[in-house]
Amino acid sequence: MIFELIKNRRAVFPAQYNDKPLSEDALKKVLEAANWAPTHRRTEPWRFKVIRGNSKLRLGEFMAHKYQEIEQRPKKVKIKKLRENPVRSAAVILICMQRDPEERLPEWEELAATAMAVQNMWLMCTAMGIGCYWSSPGLITYMDEFVQLSEGEKCLGLFYMGYYDEEPPLVGRQPIADKTLWLD
Ligand SMILES: Cc1cc2nc3c(=O)[nH]c(=O)nc-3n(C[C@H](O)[C@H](O)[C@H](O)COP(=O)(O)O)c2cc1C
């Protein structure tokens, strides 16, 4: 049932990933799911950079260095995490958004469409037993120094992925009734 899938989707972090590799077919399936997100004016603004193999190492090094460069008092634990998270993952997908060059719609709609593409990936991963989560550290604004971005393309985060053994705990939600107004 789609409701069960939605409810069972969890943020699964790199510390929980095992060593099982992720096939290219599995990655392509997840990306294909992203591509079916709704899109106003069909700008299809989502863009992805798939980071595997040695690039994971490069990404970790880049983030650890950048963090130390921009932070006045960098924390050791954070440096370690930034360096290790990509390597612990089977793959990392950089989540990017390509702004419509003609700006035919407000930016928020293209951010929203990209977020919907990420939800599609997240649900697809849940269905395939792949752990994942969207990470949005402050240093994503420097990601154009790691990978070339097009004019008007923005990095919105990292999508860490990996298989895992232990079920993550259910993270509850406040009641929907508190967030809904019914007008009859
Ligand atoms: C846009 C976005 C950015 C996020 N960024 C982070 C992040 O930087 N670090 C983090 O630990 N979790 C991040 N998350 C994941 C949330 O922490 C997670 O969804 C939340 O704890 C609820 O848990 P659940 O997804 O398992 O229900 C992000 C989620 C979204 C939607």
Side-chain angles (χ1 to χ4, degrees), residues 9-13 122 133-137 156 169 171-173:
R9 179 213 53 77
R10 285 284 72 74
V12 187
F13 303 101
W122 211 327
Y133 96 105
W134 182 343
S135 165
S136 50
L156 305 179
V171 181
R173 295 289 190 267

Side-chain angles (χ1 to χ4, degrees), residues 103-121:
E103 301 194 357
R104 288 170 299 161
L105 63 171
E107 187 188 39
W108 76 263
E109 295 198 41
E110 297 197 295
L111 293 168
T114 305
M116 297 189 90
V118 175
Q119 175 75 340
N120 278 4
M121 296 205 292

Side-chain angles (χ1 to χ4, degrees), residues 4-180:
E4 291 306 312
L5 185 72
I6 291 168
K7 204 172 163 192
N8 288 331
R9 179 213 53 77
R10 285 284 72 74
V12 187
F13 303 101
Q16 298 160 257
Y17 301 162
N18 60 29
D19 291 338
K20 189 176 162 186
L22 197 54
S23 71
E24 186 152 329
D25 277 356
L27 277 164
K28 283 183 174 165
K29 194 105 197 225
V30 170
L31 291 164
E32 190 63 29
N35 207 27
W36 286 98
T39 161
H40 190 192
R41 288 190 165 241
R42 297 184 45 190
T43 59
E44 304 180 30
W46 45 86
R47 297 289 184 277
F48 302 108
K49 323 287 172 202
V50 182
I51 297 168
R52 301 186 290 176
N54 206 40
S55 297
K56 293 189 294 183
L57 210 77
R58 281 206 307 118
L59 175 65
E61 287 304 323
F62 169 77
M63 291 199 294
H65 282 122
K66 201 75 213 171
Y67 170 71
Q68 289 175 86
E69 198 182 303
I70 62 176
E71 277 298 319
Q72 300 225 314
R73 262 176 277 142
K75 295 189 191 87
K76 277 210 172 111
V77 213
K78 182 94 192 260
I79 301 168
K80 190 167 166 343
K81 255 194 176 175
L82 287 169
R83 178 174 283 127
E84 288 179 0
N85 276 349
V87 190
R88 276 177 184 272
S89 309
V92 186
I93 298 179
L94 289 190
I95 303 162
C96 303
M97 186 275 287
Q98 175 64 58
R99 184 75 175 110
D100 178 36
E102 294 163 42
E103 301 194 357
R104 288 170 299 161
L105 63 171
E107 187 188 39
W108 76 263
E109 295 198 41
E110 297 197 295
L111 293 168
T114 305
M116 297 189 90
V118 175
Q119 175 75 340
N120 278 4
M121 296 205 292
W122 211 327
L123 290 174
M124 197 67 211
C125 283
T126 306
M128 294 168 79
I130 300 163
C132 60
Y133 96 105
W134 182 343
S135 165
S136 50
L139 48 79
I140 50 172
T141 47
Y142 301 95
M143 221 39 103
D144 59 329
E145 294 173 29
F146 174 75
V147 62
Q148 200 185 343
L149 300 181
S150 304
E151 177 78 32
E153 189 179 5
K154 207 186 244 181
C155 179
L156 305 179
L158 305 110
F159 192 72
Y160 287 103
M161 303 169 77
Y163 290 99
Y164 58 101
D165 300 311
E166 271 183 44
E167 275 313 308
L170 180 95
V171 181
R173 295 289 190 267
Q174 299 305 313
I176 186 63
D178 298 353
K179 304 158 187 160
T180 313

